[in-house]
mmCIF file of all heavy atoms in Angstrom:
data_model
loop_
_atom_site.group_PDB
_atom_site.id
_atom_site.type_symbol
_atom_site.label_atom_id
_atom_site.label_comp_id
_atom_site.label_asym_id
_atom_site.label_seq_id
_atom_site.Cartn_x
_atom_site.Cartn_y
_atom_site.Cartn_z
ATOM 1 N N VAL A 600 -129.578 93.208 8.655
ATOM 2 C CA VAL A 600 -130.449 92.034 8.674
ATOM 3 C C VAL A 600 -130.215 91.291 9.978
ATOM 4 O O VAL A 600 -129.119 90.792 10.237
ATOM 5 C CB VAL A 600 -130.156 91.115 7.474
ATOM 6 C CG1 VAL A 600 -131.019 89.860 7.556
ATOM 7 C CG2 VAL A 600 -130.416 91.850 6.173
ATOM 8 N N GLN A 601 -131.246 91.222 10.809
ATOM 9 C CA GLN A 601 -131.110 90.569 12.105
ATOM 10 C C GLN A 601 -131.110 89.051 11.965
ATOM 11 O O GLN A 601 -130.324 88.358 12.592
ATOM 12 C CB GLN A 601 -132.249 91.016 13.030
ATOM 13 C CG GLN A 601 -132.068 90.647 14.483
ATOM 14 C CD GLN A 601 -130.946 91.439 15.133
ATOM 15 O OE1 GLN A 601 -130.604 92.516 14.661
ATOM 16 N NE2 GLN A 601 -130.372 90.916 16.194
ATOM 17 N N SER A 602 -132.009 88.543 11.130
ATOM 18 C CA SER A 602 -132.072 87.104 10.837
ATOM 19 C C SER A 602 -132.526 86.946 9.399
ATOM 20 O O SER A 602 -133.273 87.781 8.875
ATOM 21 C CB SER A 602 -133.051 86.382 11.772
ATOM 22 O OG SER A 602 -132.595 86.414 13.111
ATOM 23 N N GLU A 603 -132.088 85.844 8.785
ATOM 24 C CA GLU A 603 -132.427 85.621 7.374
ATOM 25 C C GLU A 603 -132.531 84.133 7.109
ATOM 26 O O GLU A 603 -131.789 83.330 7.667
ATOM 27 C CB GLU A 603 -131.371 86.249 6.465
ATOM 28 C CG GLU A 603 -131.695 86.166 4.988
ATOM 29 C CD GLU A 603 -130.700 86.936 4.141
ATOM 30 O OE1 GLU A 603 -129.556 87.136 4.596
ATOM 31 O OE2 GLU A 603 -131.063 87.326 3.010
ATOM 32 N N ALA A 604 -133.487 83.773 6.241
ATOM 33 C CA ALA A 604 -133.648 82.374 5.832
ATOM 34 C C ALA A 604 -134.101 82.349 4.378
ATOM 35 O O ALA A 604 -134.780 83.260 3.905
ATOM 36 C CB ALA A 604 -134.678 81.667 6.721
ATOM 37 N N ARG A 605 -133.715 81.297 3.676
ATOM 38 C CA ARG A 605 -134.117 81.161 2.272
ATOM 39 C C ARG A 605 -135.444 80.429 2.182
ATOM 40 O O ARG A 605 -135.692 79.461 2.918
ATOM 41 C CB ARG A 605 -133.038 80.409 1.490
ATOM 42 C CG ARG A 605 -133.264 80.412 -0.013
ATOM 43 C CD ARG A 605 -132.054 79.866 -0.752
ATOM 44 N NE ARG A 605 -131.886 78.432 -0.543
ATOM 45 C CZ ARG A 605 -130.899 77.719 -1.074
ATOM 46 N NH1 ARG A 605 -129.984 78.330 -1.829
ATOM 47 N NH2 ARG A 605 -130.802 76.426 -0.842
ATOM 48 N N LEU A 606 -136.302 80.882 1.283
ATOM 49 C CA LEU A 606 -137.570 80.207 1.066
ATOM 50 C C LEU A 606 -137.383 79.040 0.107
ATOM 51 O O LEU A 606 -136.485 79.046 -0.744
ATOM 52 C CB LEU A 606 -138.610 81.179 0.502
ATOM 53 C CG LEU A 606 -138.934 82.405 1.368
ATOM 54 C CD1 LEU A 606 -140.049 83.220 0.730
ATOM 55 C CD2 LEU A 606 -139.324 82.002 2.780
ATOM 56 N N LEU A 607 -138.243 78.057 0.237
ATOM 57 C CA LEU A 607 -138.177 76.897 -0.645
ATOM 58 C C LEU A 607 -138.495 77.282 -2.078
ATOM 59 O O LEU A 607 -139.187 78.272 -2.338
ATOM 60 C CB LEU A 607 -139.155 75.818 -0.159
ATOM 61 C CG LEU A 607 -138.806 75.191 1.205
ATOM 62 C CD1 LEU A 607 -139.962 74.349 1.708
ATOM 63 C CD2 LEU A 607 -137.525 74.367 1.112
ATOM 64 N N LYS A 608 -138.017 76.496 -3.031
ATOM 65 C CA LYS A 608 -138.139 76.858 -4.447
ATOM 66 C C LYS A 608 -139.585 76.964 -4.907
ATOM 67 O O LYS A 608 -139.918 77.795 -5.746
ATOM 68 C CB LYS A 608 -137.391 75.831 -5.307
ATOM 69 C CG LYS A 608 -135.883 76.031 -5.309
ATOM 70 C CD LYS A 608 -135.212 75.107 -6.315
ATOM 71 C CE LYS A 608 -133.717 75.388 -6.378
ATOM 72 N NZ LYS A 608 -133.028 74.515 -7.360
ATOM 73 N N ASP A 609 -140.473 76.116 -4.395
ATOM 74 C CA ASP A 609 -141.855 76.180 -4.858
ATOM 75 C C ASP A 609 -142.512 77.489 -4.453
ATOM 76 O O ASP A 609 -143.336 78.044 -5.174
ATOM 77 C CB ASP A 609 -142.663 74.987 -4.344
ATOM 78 C CG ASP A 609 -142.751 74.953 -2.824
ATOM 79 O OD1 ASP A 609 -141.799 75.427 -2.181
ATOM 80 O OD2 ASP A 609 -143.768 74.466 -2.300
ATOM 81 N N VAL A 610 -142.118 78.033 -3.295
ATOM 82 C CA VAL A 610 -142.632 79.333 -2.868
ATOM 83 C C VAL A 610 -142.116 80.426 -3.800
ATOM 84 O O VAL A 610 -142.844 81.317 -4.217
ATOM 85 C CB VAL A 610 -142.224 79.631 -1.411
ATOM 86 C CG1 VAL A 610 -142.706 81.012 -0.997
ATOM 87 C CG2 VAL A 610 -142.792 78.574 -0.487
ATOM 88 N N CYS A 611 -140.822 80.338 -4.163
ATOM 89 C CA CYS A 611 -140.228 81.316 -5.071
ATOM 90 C C CYS A 611 -140.923 81.280 -6.423
ATOM 91 O O CYS A 611 -141.180 82.318 -7.036
ATOM 92 C CB CYS A 611 -138.737 81.053 -5.250
ATOM 93 S SG CYS A 611 -137.806 81.106 -3.699
ATOM 94 N N HIS A 612 -141.237 80.060 -6.899
ATOM 95 C CA HIS A 612 -141.879 79.923 -8.208
ATOM 96 C C HIS A 612 -143.259 80.576 -8.192
ATOM 97 O O HIS A 612 -143.632 81.289 -9.120
ATOM 98 C CB HIS A 612 -141.976 78.440 -8.571
ATOM 99 C CG HIS A 612 -142.620 78.182 -9.904
ATOM 100 N ND1 HIS A 612 -142.028 78.586 -11.092
ATOM 101 C CD2 HIS A 612 -143.800 77.591 -10.235
ATOM 102 C CE1 HIS A 612 -142.822 78.242 -12.106
ATOM 103 N NE2 HIS A 612 -143.890 77.642 -11.602
ATOM 104 N N ARG A 613 -144.028 80.348 -7.122
ATOM 105 C CA ARG A 613 -145.353 80.974 -7.014
ATOM 106 C C ARG A 613 -145.227 82.492 -6.974
ATOM 107 O O ARG A 613 -146.030 83.211 -7.559
ATOM 108 C CB ARG A 613 -146.068 80.467 -5.756
ATOM 109 C CG ARG A 613 -146.457 79.010 -5.803
ATOM 110 C CD ARG A 613 -147.533 78.688 -4.761
ATOM 111 N NE ARG A 613 -147.152 79.096 -3.428
ATOM 112 C CZ ARG A 613 -146.494 78.329 -2.576
ATOM 113 N NH1 ARG A 613 -146.110 77.109 -2.956
ATOM 114 N NH2 ARG A 613 -146.205 78.749 -1.364
ATOM 115 N N ALA A 614 -144.209 82.971 -6.274
ATOM 116 C CA ALA A 614 -144.008 84.415 -6.164
ATOM 117 C C ALA A 614 -143.708 85.028 -7.524
ATOM 118 O O ALA A 614 -144.236 86.083 -7.870
ATOM 119 C CB ALA A 614 -142.862 84.702 -5.197
ATOM 120 N N GLN A 615 -142.852 84.356 -8.322
ATOM 121 C CA GLN A 615 -142.500 84.894 -9.628
ATOM 122 C C GLN A 615 -143.703 84.927 -10.551
ATOM 123 O O GLN A 615 -143.914 85.887 -11.288
ATOM 124 C CB GLN A 615 -141.363 84.061 -10.227
ATOM 125 C CG GLN A 615 -140.030 84.279 -9.513
ATOM 126 C CD GLN A 615 -138.980 83.270 -9.925
ATOM 127 O OE1 GLN A 615 -139.306 82.240 -10.509
ATOM 128 N NE2 GLN A 615 -137.733 83.557 -9.614
ATOM 129 N N LYS A 616 -144.525 83.872 -10.525
ATOM 130 C CA LYS A 616 -145.718 83.845 -11.369
ATOM 131 C C LYS A 616 -146.685 84.953 -10.993
ATOM 132 O O LYS A 616 -147.239 85.642 -11.837
ATOM 133 C CB LYS A 616 -146.412 82.480 -11.245
ATOM 134 C CG LYS A 616 -145.672 81.349 -11.936
ATOM 135 C CD LYS A 616 -146.410 80.033 -11.795
ATOM 136 C CE LYS A 616 -147.742 80.061 -12.516
ATOM 137 N NZ LYS A 616 -148.425 78.761 -12.453
ATOM 138 N N LYS A 617 -146.860 85.157 -9.686
ATOM 139 C CA LYS A 617 -147.782 86.196 -9.239
ATOM 140 C C LYS A 617 -147.250 87.586 -9.567
ATOM 141 O O LYS A 617 -147.988 88.486 -9.917
ATOM 142 C CB LYS A 617 -148.034 86.073 -7.735
ATOM 143 C CG LYS A 617 -149.208 86.935 -7.281
ATOM 144 C CD LYS A 617 -149.642 86.597 -5.880
ATOM 145 C CE LYS A 617 -151.008 87.210 -5.596
ATOM 146 N NZ LYS A 617 -151.068 88.628 -5.854
ATOM 147 N N ARG A 618 -145.936 87.758 -9.478
ATOM 148 C CA ARG A 618 -145.368 89.064 -9.778
ATOM 149 C C ARG A 618 -145.559 89.421 -11.249
ATOM 150 O O ARG A 618 -145.857 90.550 -11.600
ATOM 151 C CB ARG A 618 -143.881 89.097 -9.413
ATOM 152 C CG ARG A 618 -143.315 90.502 -9.512
ATOM 153 C CD ARG A 618 -141.904 90.553 -8.997
ATOM 154 N NE ARG A 618 -141.431 91.926 -9.074
ATOM 155 C CZ ARG A 618 -140.283 92.304 -9.602
ATOM 156 N NH1 ARG A 618 -139.472 91.405 -10.109
ATOM 157 N NH2 ARG A 618 -139.931 93.569 -9.632
ATOM 158 N N LYS A 619 -145.372 88.444 -12.145
ATOM 159 C CA LYS A 619 -145.592 88.703 -13.561
ATOM 160 C C LYS A 619 -147.034 89.108 -13.816
ATOM 161 O O LYS A 619 -147.324 90.003 -14.609
ATOM 162 C CB LYS A 619 -145.242 87.458 -14.373
ATOM 163 C CG LYS A 619 -143.740 87.179 -14.447
ATOM 164 C CD LYS A 619 -143.463 85.909 -15.231
ATOM 165 C CE LYS A 619 -141.962 85.623 -15.285
ATOM 166 N NZ LYS A 619 -141.678 84.349 -16.010
ATOM 167 N N LYS A 620 -147.956 88.465 -13.130
ATOM 168 C CA LYS A 620 -149.368 88.802 -13.271
ATOM 169 C C LYS A 620 -149.647 90.205 -12.757
ATOM 170 O O LYS A 620 -150.371 90.981 -13.374
ATOM 171 C CB LYS A 620 -150.210 87.776 -12.506
ATOM 172 C CG LYS A 620 -151.704 88.020 -12.589
ATOM 173 C CD LYS A 620 -152.459 86.950 -11.805
ATOM 174 C CE LYS A 620 -153.957 87.210 -11.846
ATOM 175 N NZ LYS A 620 -154.685 86.178 -11.055
ATOM 176 N N ASP A 621 -149.029 90.547 -11.628
ATOM 177 C CA ASP A 621 -149.259 91.858 -11.027
ATOM 178 C C ASP A 621 -148.639 92.985 -11.837
ATOM 179 O O ASP A 621 -149.106 94.122 -11.787
ATOM 180 C CB ASP A 621 -148.705 91.894 -9.598
ATOM 181 C CG ASP A 621 -149.533 91.049 -8.648
ATOM 182 O OD1 ASP A 621 -150.689 90.773 -8.991
ATOM 183 O OD2 ASP A 621 -149.015 90.670 -7.581
ATOM 184 N N ARG A 622 -147.576 92.695 -12.572
ATOM 185 C CA ARG A 622 -146.956 93.731 -13.392
ATOM 186 C C ARG A 622 -147.941 94.292 -14.397
ATOM 187 O O ARG A 622 -147.913 95.460 -14.748
ATOM 188 C CB ARG A 622 -145.736 93.158 -14.120
ATOM 189 C CG ARG A 622 -144.461 93.193 -13.296
ATOM 190 C CD ARG A 622 -143.325 92.571 -14.068
ATOM 191 N NE ARG A 622 -142.072 92.702 -13.356
ATOM 192 C CZ ARG A 622 -140.954 92.090 -13.714
ATOM 193 N NH1 ARG A 622 -140.945 91.312 -14.776
ATOM 194 N NH2 ARG A 622 -139.852 92.264 -13.022
ATOM 195 N N LYS A 623 -148.821 93.423 -14.879
ATOM 196 C CA LYS A 623 -149.828 93.865 -15.838
ATOM 197 C C LYS A 623 -150.789 94.870 -15.206
ATOM 198 O O LYS A 623 -151.402 95.673 -15.873
ATOM 199 C CB LYS A 623 -150.598 92.665 -16.373
ATOM 200 C CG LYS A 623 -149.704 91.688 -17.140
ATOM 201 C CD LYS A 623 -150.489 90.476 -17.594
ATOM 202 C CE LYS A 623 -149.590 89.486 -18.328
ATOM 203 N NZ LYS A 623 -150.338 88.281 -18.764
ATOM 204 N N LYS A 624 -150.925 94.786 -13.889
ATOM 205 C CA LYS A 624 -151.799 95.710 -13.168
ATOM 206 C C LYS A 624 -151.049 96.944 -12.688
ATOM 207 O O LYS A 624 -151.624 97.820 -12.047
ATOM 208 C CB LYS A 624 -152.420 95.007 -11.962
ATOM 209 C CG LYS A 624 -153.212 93.768 -12.322
ATOM 210 C CD LYS A 624 -153.734 93.100 -11.051
ATOM 211 C CE LYS A 624 -154.460 91.816 -11.362
ATOM 212 N NZ LYS A 624 -154.937 91.134 -10.130
ATOM 213 N N GLN A 625 -149.726 97.015 -12.968
ATOM 214 C CA GLN A 625 -148.881 98.145 -12.573
ATOM 215 C C GLN A 625 -148.943 98.402 -11.076
ATOM 216 O O GLN A 625 -149.094 99.523 -10.617
ATOM 217 C CB GLN A 625 -149.282 99.415 -13.332
ATOM 218 C CG GLN A 625 -149.033 99.290 -14.820
ATOM 219 C CD GLN A 625 -149.347 100.572 -15.544
ATOM 220 O OE1 GLN A 625 -150.099 101.415 -15.061
ATOM 221 N NE2 GLN A 625 -148.773 100.733 -16.710
ATOM 222 N N ARG A 626 -148.800 97.316 -10.315
ATOM 223 C CA ARG A 626 -148.819 97.450 -8.870
ATOM 224 C C ARG A 626 -147.422 97.645 -8.328
ATOM 225 O O ARG A 626 -146.434 97.352 -8.977
ATOM 226 C CB ARG A 626 -149.428 96.198 -8.224
ATOM 227 C CG ARG A 626 -150.898 96.053 -8.510
ATOM 228 C CD ARG A 626 -151.434 94.757 -7.929
ATOM 229 N NE ARG A 626 -151.247 94.712 -6.494
ATOM 230 C CZ ARG A 626 -150.356 93.948 -5.903
ATOM 231 N NH1 ARG A 626 -149.553 93.190 -6.606
ATOM 232 N NH2 ARG A 626 -150.258 93.944 -4.577
ATOM 233 N N SER A 627 -147.352 98.149 -7.108
ATOM 234 C CA SER A 627 -146.058 98.374 -6.453
ATOM 235 C C SER A 627 -145.395 97.058 -6.121
ATOM 236 O O SER A 627 -146.052 96.033 -5.929
ATOM 237 C CB SER A 627 -146.273 99.165 -5.160
ATOM 238 O OG SER A 627 -145.144 99.072 -4.347
ATOM 239 N N ALA A 628 -144.062 97.105 -6.030
ATOM 240 C CA ALA A 628 -143.301 95.919 -5.618
ATOM 241 C C ALA A 628 -143.128 95.843 -4.125
ATOM 242 O O ALA A 628 -142.412 95.013 -3.636
ATOM 243 C CB ALA A 628 -141.937 95.935 -6.293
ATOM 244 N N ASP A 629 -143.800 96.691 -3.373
ATOM 245 C CA ASP A 629 -143.626 96.689 -1.912
ATOM 246 C C ASP A 629 -144.998 96.735 -1.246
ATOM 247 O O ASP A 629 -145.388 97.711 -0.651
ATOM 248 C CB ASP A 629 -142.786 97.883 -1.486
ATOM 249 C CG ASP A 629 -142.438 97.838 -0.007
ATOM 250 O OD1 ASP A 629 -142.988 97.007 0.726
ATOM 251 O OD2 ASP A 629 -141.635 98.647 0.409
ATOM 252 N N THR A 630 -145.769 95.669 -1.441
ATOM 253 C CA THR A 630 -147.060 95.560 -0.795
ATOM 254 C C THR A 630 -147.188 94.168 -0.217
ATOM 255 O O THR A 630 -146.582 93.214 -0.709
ATOM 256 C CB THR A 630 -148.220 95.795 -1.797
ATOM 257 O OG1 THR A 630 -148.159 94.768 -2.787
ATOM 258 C CG2 THR A 630 -148.099 97.150 -2.469
ATOM 259 N N PRO A 631 -148.025 94.009 0.822
ATOM 260 C CA PRO A 631 -148.146 92.694 1.433
ATOM 261 C C PRO A 631 -148.747 91.636 0.524
ATOM 262 O O PRO A 631 -148.710 90.469 0.846
ATOM 263 C CB PRO A 631 -149.058 92.962 2.638
ATOM 264 C CG PRO A 631 -148.877 94.406 2.922
ATOM 265 C CD PRO A 631 -148.677 95.041 1.588
ATOM 266 N N GLU A 632 -149.306 92.032 -0.647
ATOM 267 C CA GLU A 632 -149.967 91.050 -1.492
ATOM 268 C C GLU A 632 -149.110 90.601 -2.659
ATOM 269 O O GLU A 632 -149.578 89.906 -3.546
ATOM 270 C CB GLU A 632 -151.285 91.629 -2.032
ATOM 271 C CG GLU A 632 -152.324 91.899 -0.956
ATOM 272 C CD GLU A 632 -152.063 93.219 -0.248
ATOM 273 O OE1 GLU A 632 -151.367 94.079 -0.820
ATOM 274 O OE2 GLU A 632 -152.546 93.383 0.873
ATOM 275 N N ASP A 633 -147.849 90.990 -2.738
ATOM 276 C CA ASP A 633 -147.035 90.627 -3.896
ATOM 277 C C ASP A 633 -146.944 89.121 -4.071
ATOM 278 O O ASP A 633 -146.920 88.614 -5.172
ATOM 279 C CB ASP A 633 -145.640 91.222 -3.778
ATOM 280 C CG ASP A 633 -145.524 92.531 -4.540
ATOM 281 O OD1 ASP A 633 -146.534 92.994 -5.092
ATOM 282 O OD2 ASP A 633 -144.426 93.055 -4.564
ATOM 283 N N PHE A 634 -146.825 88.376 -3.000
ATOM 284 C CA PHE A 634 -147.014 86.935 -3.057
ATOM 285 C C PHE A 634 -147.498 86.480 -1.687
ATOM 286 O O PHE A 634 -147.323 87.168 -0.693
ATOM 287 C CB PHE A 634 -145.767 86.172 -3.517
ATOM 288 C CG PHE A 634 -144.506 86.461 -2.775
ATOM 289 C CD1 PHE A 634 -144.166 85.756 -1.636
ATOM 290 C CD2 PHE A 634 -143.641 87.452 -3.222
ATOM 291 C CE1 PHE A 634 -142.980 86.004 -0.968
ATOM 292 C CE2 PHE A 634 -142.452 87.694 -2.554
ATOM 293 C CZ PHE A 634 -142.124 86.976 -1.432
ATOM 294 N N PRO A 635 -148.160 85.352 -1.617
ATOM 295 C CA PRO A 635 -148.828 84.962 -0.376
ATOM 296 C C PRO A 635 -147.872 84.890 0.798
ATOM 297 O O PRO A 635 -146.737 84.454 0.660
ATOM 298 C CB PRO A 635 -149.396 83.576 -0.710
ATOM 299 C CG PRO A 635 -149.440 83.526 -2.201
ATOM 300 C CD PRO A 635 -148.308 84.364 -2.686
ATOM 301 N N ALA A 636 -148.332 85.342 1.937
ATOM 302 C CA ALA A 636 -147.516 85.256 3.148
ATOM 303 C C ALA A 636 -147.249 83.790 3.456
ATOM 304 O O ALA A 636 -148.155 83.014 3.731
ATOM 305 C CB ALA A 636 -148.247 85.923 4.312
ATOM 306 N N ALA A 637 -145.977 83.405 3.355
ATOM 307 C CA ALA A 637 -145.625 81.998 3.564
ATOM 308 C C ALA A 637 -145.296 81.768 5.026
ATOM 309 O O ALA A 637 -144.449 82.439 5.578
ATOM 310 C CB ALA A 637 -144.426 81.630 2.691
ATOM 311 N N PRO A 638 -145.923 80.807 5.684
ATOM 312 C CA PRO A 638 -145.623 80.546 7.090
ATOM 313 C C PRO A 638 -144.274 79.875 7.240
ATOM 314 O O PRO A 638 -143.545 79.673 6.280
ATOM 315 C CB PRO A 638 -146.767 79.620 7.510
ATOM 316 C CG PRO A 638 -147.175 78.933 6.251
ATOM 317 C CD PRO A 638 -146.985 79.940 5.157
ATOM 318 N N GLY A 639 -143.943 79.489 8.468
ATOM 319 C CA GLY A 639 -142.631 78.920 8.745
ATOM 320 C C GLY A 639 -142.324 77.660 7.959
ATOM 321 O O GLY A 639 -141.169 77.348 7.709
ATOM 322 N N GLN A 640 -143.364 76.919 7.519
ATOM 323 C CA GLN A 640 -143.114 75.675 6.806
ATOM 324 C C GLN A 640 -142.473 75.902 5.445
ATOM 325 O O GLN A 640 -142.000 74.972 4.809
ATOM 326 C CB GLN A 640 -144.436 74.898 6.621
ATOM 327 C CG GLN A 640 -144.968 74.276 7.902
ATOM 328 C CD GLN A 640 -145.705 75.286 8.777
ATOM 329 O OE1 GLN A 640 -145.731 76.472 8.475
ATOM 330 N NE2 GLN A 640 -146.290 74.811 9.869
ATOM 331 N N SER A 641 -142.450 77.135 4.949
ATOM 332 C CA SER A 641 -141.892 77.413 3.625
ATOM 333 C C SER A 641 -140.395 77.665 3.671
ATOM 334 O O SER A 641 -139.782 77.977 2.661
ATOM 335 C CB SER A 641 -142.586 78.636 3.026
ATOM 336 O OG SER A 641 -142.350 79.773 3.849
ATOM 337 N N ILE A 642 -139.769 77.542 4.833
ATOM 338 C CA ILE A 642 -138.352 77.853 5.005
ATOM 339 C C ILE A 642 -137.478 76.671 4.591
ATOM 340 O O ILE A 642 -137.750 75.514 4.927
ATOM 341 C CB ILE A 642 -138.066 78.217 6.480
ATOM 342 C CG1 ILE A 642 -138.866 79.458 6.894
ATOM 343 C CG2 ILE A 642 -136.587 78.442 6.699
ATOM 344 C CD1 ILE A 642 -138.533 80.711 6.127
ATOM 345 N N ASP A 643 -136.394 76.977 3.864
ATOM 346 C CA ASP A 643 -135.392 75.968 3.515
ATOM 347 C C ASP A 643 -134.426 75.861 4.702
ATOM 348 O O ASP A 643 -133.492 76.649 4.833
ATOM 349 C CB ASP A 643 -134.656 76.410 2.246
ATOM 350 C CG ASP A 643 -133.629 75.375 1.794
ATOM 351 O OD1 ASP A 643 -133.409 74.396 2.530
ATOM 352 O OD2 ASP A 643 -133.041 75.567 0.712
#
Side-chain angles (χ1 to χ4, degrees):
V600 177
Q601 192 69 23
S602 294
E603 185 174 24
R605 189 170 70 180
L606 301 184
L607 294 169
K608 282 187 176 181
D609 62 330
V610 177
C611 301
H612 180 66
R613 292 198 306 270
Q615 289 169 344
K616 287 181 65 176
K617 192 168 194 306
R618 189 173 182 229
K619 288 178 181 178
K620 180 180 178 181
D621 289 340
R622 275 178 175 170
K623 297 177 181 179
K624 302 177 183 178
Q625 295 184 338
R626 292 176 60 253
S627 164
D629 187 350
T630 63
E632 295 81 21
D633 264 4
F634 53 88
Q640 288 80 354
S641 62
I642 299 298
D643 182 353

